[in-house]
Every structure is written in structure tokens, then in C-alpha cells.
Amino acid sequence: MKLLMGVDLETEVELSPVAKAEAAVFSSSYSSPSTALLLQRKVVAWAKETGSPVTIRVRVAERSFDLHKDPLVSKCGYFSEASLESGDIELPESFPGGCEAFEVIALFCYGDAVALDPFNVAAVRCAAEFLDVSGLGARCDLYINQVVLQSWDDALIVLQRCQPLLPVAEELLIVSRCVESLAFMACMEILDPEQRRDQPGAAGARALVGRRWDAELVKELAARDLWIKDLIALPFEFFERIVQALRRQGMKEKYVSPVVLFYANKWVLSKKTHKFWATTDDEAVDGETDANRRAAAIMEGVIALLPVEAAAVAASGAIPVAFYFALLSRSLTLELSDQSQKRLREQVASNLQFARVDDLPLPEKETDRWSIAHSREVRAVESIVSNHVSAQRKGAEAVAELWDRYLLQIATDPKLRPERLSELIGIVPAGDRKNHNHLYEAINTYLVEHRGLSGEEKATLCGHLDCRKLSHEACIQAVQNDRMPLRLIVQALFVQQLHTHRAFTVCSDSFRCMHSGELVPGAGAYTPSPGCPTTIPTSQPLSSSSPYENHHHAPRDAKLRARDDASSDYETASFRIQALEKEIISLKQTLQRHNTLKGSARRDGCGKEPSFRVATEANAAAAIKRRATVSGSCIGSMRWGSQRRCASRIMRVFTRLAVLGRGRSSRGKQSSKCKAATEQLNCM
């Protein structure tokens, strides 16, 4: 190809047969000829043909080239303007491409064929621009456009070769053309209808959802897709521009975000990469510090590339929540800017409701000399949870449960003080906790590990617990837990009794719904109790006029009316129970007065004062009236143990009245039941 040779037929000079043969051998785009040997032979051939010796010595870096003046001045504007009187010229350190690029340009100046390939075209293009070589820059641009940008591999090679050529390569648009070409080919790789499939990159990211972060596993997933593997091997300045070009050209975020994830895992989260940087950088005084510095620079760029809508991306599975917490844990060991730290923590806070307790970072116990609760990891999570609570984001209940599970892991720290634990518990408001089971487990674990707490410290910690938000099993455990303060045990016992009573009430209601149906005389229809399903006994014959034939199509107001009737019946029974309670109180007061009078009468009979034994007629009548009031009941003659048994029987009667009062019966029937209960009390 005349293009790859770099010389057209019209401009090609007459070469010797040996030079033509050697040029033909090294014309391949991927050949690696010894350019220095070719240049040496060309200089010798030129001296023989023209009979003129070399007159200029050009120094590039540490090498020197002895060349002729005429070929250089005729093709290079840099040498035509430079002073060549001394015959010795040195190119500056900013010369792009180095010795290899200058050798190619020198061959071009002597009229030899130029072998362009993806490995040298960028350097030759930049060197030609620097030396102002006429014609060579246009040939390099043509080769880049027609050859390099049409191939994924060639574009990657040229882009990597541009890194030491910056900023000249950027000014010549070599970098931007390669970036746009790679982004376009990556979009075509995904949108190709002939190879439409679930891309390994997106599928690999979704496979990480709900799992603990594993850098080696992520590395294996990234290697499954070749185009992702190639992109994450680029320097970050080029990778960043490709990601921006992918989004600009319309690639969906579910394909772009995994690429950022895999890049961060390779260069920031991988321990192998960190170790490699720390041990191979000979120029750095402290390899560990230099490795952290390089990782921090890349991490700040990765944080900037993460999508703004982090919660939506995490919910779609494009980026697992564990990735954000892995970045958070790594950032604690790096010196990031305040802006990057703030943005990362905001993204973590927005994903907090989707996190698992295994995702939250904890310090390594082997290397941490301080308390876990005062470590930078716990303080970072504490700050993020506080940010989530103060911002009133969604998922407050999930975050509260997550925080309580996290406290359960912190509670095992033997250096944790009760004041610090109480402070951590108070990070989440009490209203956000719909369930206190995990909080109870955390406090119980702390009490097990710290047995020397005082009663006041235990009461302070357990004051955060609300027994009403404990499950039935947790209440039973709290009642039997001798490490808990007495107040909490009593509260748990009361809540447990409420749970038991509620369960008994549900069972009793269901039993009465099955067996408490009544037949209305003369109606020929079955009347169920309120709140019970309208089931018809098998022993009751169905008639054509039964009001329950179209029960499923009953209007809504009928259901509301039945509910109001049941409510009124319940209120009536409640009022009667309250009246009976008042009667019991009055009866108790009368009994106490009778006992007082009886004791005073005994003292009067035994005394010697005649004035206390003689009573007027009015006092006698009042005493007879009081005795007549008490004589209707035999309670006054009972001892204290008998009175307690009697009171217990009375309370059982009231309980039965309360249960029976829920039934849907007439007021007359309820009054008859109450009268019967009163008669039973009188018979006691």
C-alpha cells in the first residue's frame, strides 16, 4: 500500500535496489523493523550518492544522530529555522515520541518509506507536528481515520500510546477521535441485533445483589466480557472520557454503571493492585503512601462518575448496594477531598434502606486497639444514619431495623461503655422502630458481655425498649431473663398477659361465632351473633323467604348498621359492668362501717362508763337500720379469707358478664342476666 509506505509515486525519490528491497520487507503495518539500522544504511547510501559527508549532529534524549543538512532542512521547518552553523543541535525534552519517532521522521526526510502502525502512528504524528514536517502529518491523520478508528484493538493501542504524548496528542484530536470511536463500537456491541443477548457486564452486576462484596469474584465477572476487560485496563483519564462518551451516545445506565464498578474494583478495591503499587514503585520514598495517593486520585474520579440517582440505580440492580459500602470502607483509609467524601456519603445514605447488615463496615479486631464503637468505621456509619434520619428519606423502618442489627454486632465489644451504647441507640428516633426485637437482642448481648453494670445503668439502657413492640416470644424471654431490671420484667409480663388475653378473646369469639346462633321465635330465620359469619345450622330448614339467601349482595349500609348495633350493645354491657363495680365498692364500704360499729359495740359492753352503754331511741333506730342493710348479705359475718374468695367469685361473674355482653341480644335479656348475676351475688 502506498499509504502505509508513506510516500506517493509522484513524490518517491529514486532508491537503490537494496533500499527498495529492505523497504518492501518492512512495509507491514504490524512489523517491527530496526529503524535505527535502516536510518544508518540510508545515511551511508546518501553519502555515496551525493558525495557529501554528514554535517549535523542531532541529540534526542541520550542518543545522537549524525545526518546531512540538506534532507532535514528541505522537509523539516524546525531545522530550517534553527541555527545550524555549529552543526550540533539538541531537541528539547518536550519533544514528543523520543528517539523512535525521530528515527521515522529522519527516514522520511531521506525519502525512505515510512512504516506506520498503531504502535507508532500517534508518536510520529506528534513529532511531525513538533518539527513541522510537511506532508507526514496529513498521512498520519489519514491512516488514523481509515485504519485505526475502524478497529477496536487498533483504537485501544493508539489511545494507550497517547498517554506520554499529552497534551500534544489531545491538541491534534487523536485522543478524542479514539474515545468517540471506542464508545461508538461499544454501543454497537450491545445493540447488535445479530448478537443480542444479556450482556455479561450487566448480568454480572445483578449477580452481586444481596451478596457480600468480594473483589476476586467481581474480577472474574469483569473478565467474561472482553470489551469491558479492555476498557478497565485504560488509564483513568481515558476511561473517564469513554464513560462520558457512552452516556452521551445513549448507552443505558444499566450497562454503563457496571463498567464503572469493575474499574473501581480493579484499581481501588483490589488488595493485589494496592500491594503491586506499594512494592514496585522504586521512585517513591514510601510505597504505601504513594499507593494510597494513586488510589485516592482514581477513587475521587470514580465517585464523580457514579450516577446521581444512586437509589434508582441500586434498586434496578445495575450497582449493588455492597459496592457503595465497599467504597466507603476504602475511603476511610484514603485522603479524599471534602467534596468527594460528602458525595459518597450522600449516595450511601440514599441506598441505606436497601443495605444488609453484612454490608456495613466494621473495624478489623486484630489491628484495632481502640473500642469498636469509637472506630472510624462505626462513626462513619453513625454519620450516614444520622444524615438519613435528618433528611427524612424513605425506608425509615428498614433503616431502624438495620441499625439495630448493626448494634448487635457492636454490643460484643468489651470496651464499649453503656453511655456510648445509649448514644448509638438514640441515633434512630423511637417512632421509626416498629419492632424492638433486634434492639432487645443487642441490649441483652451487651448485658451478657458486661455483667458488672449497676442497676441504674441497666435501667437507662432498657429504658429505650418498648415492651409493646416486642413479639410474644421476645416478651416471654424478657420475663424469664434475670439480667433485665424489674421494671422491664413487669412491663413485659403485662404485655404478655395482654397477648394471651387477646389470643383467648380471638379463640372465644370464633367459638361463639360457631355455637351462639339464636332462633327468633315466629320469624323462622336464623339470627347469628354480631361479628360472626352468617353460617346457617344444618338443623334449621331453609325457606324461600329467608333473609340470608342474598347475603353476599347485601348493601353496605346494612353492614354499617349491624356494626353500630354491636357497638351499642358493647357499650350497654360496659355501662352495666361499671354500675356493678360501683355497687361492689359501696358494699365494701358498708362492710367496713359494720365492722367498725361491731368493734365499738364490743368495747361498750366491756367498759365501765354507763353513758356509753345507754343509747337514745334515735341512735338505736339508726343502728337497727344499718344492721338491716347489712343483714341482707352474709358477707359481714365472713372472715378475711372468705371475703377474698367471695371477691374472686364476684370478679369471675363480672368477667362472664363482660364476655356475654358482647353478644347481640336484647336489652331485656341483658338486664335479666344482670339481675341473675345480682341474685347470685346475694346468695354468696
Side-chain angles (χ1 to χ4, degrees), residues 14 63 88 136 563:
E14 185 65 19
R63 293 181 57 185
D88 193 357
L136 185 57
R563 186 180 303 171

Side-chain angles (χ1 to χ4, degrees), residues 8 12 49 174 201 265 294 298 309 340 384 438 448 595 610 668:
D8 294 335
E12 186 176 6
E49 292 178 1
I174 302 176
N265 181 75
R294 297 173 65 178
I298 297 177
E309 298 295 334
S340 298
I384 292 172
H438 299 293
V448 172
N595 293 335

Side-chain angles (χ1 to χ4, degrees), residues 22 24 176 210 319 358 456 532 534 575:
E22 291 175 349
S176 59
I319 296 183
D358 294 339
E456 183 180 357
C532 302
T534 57
F575 291 152

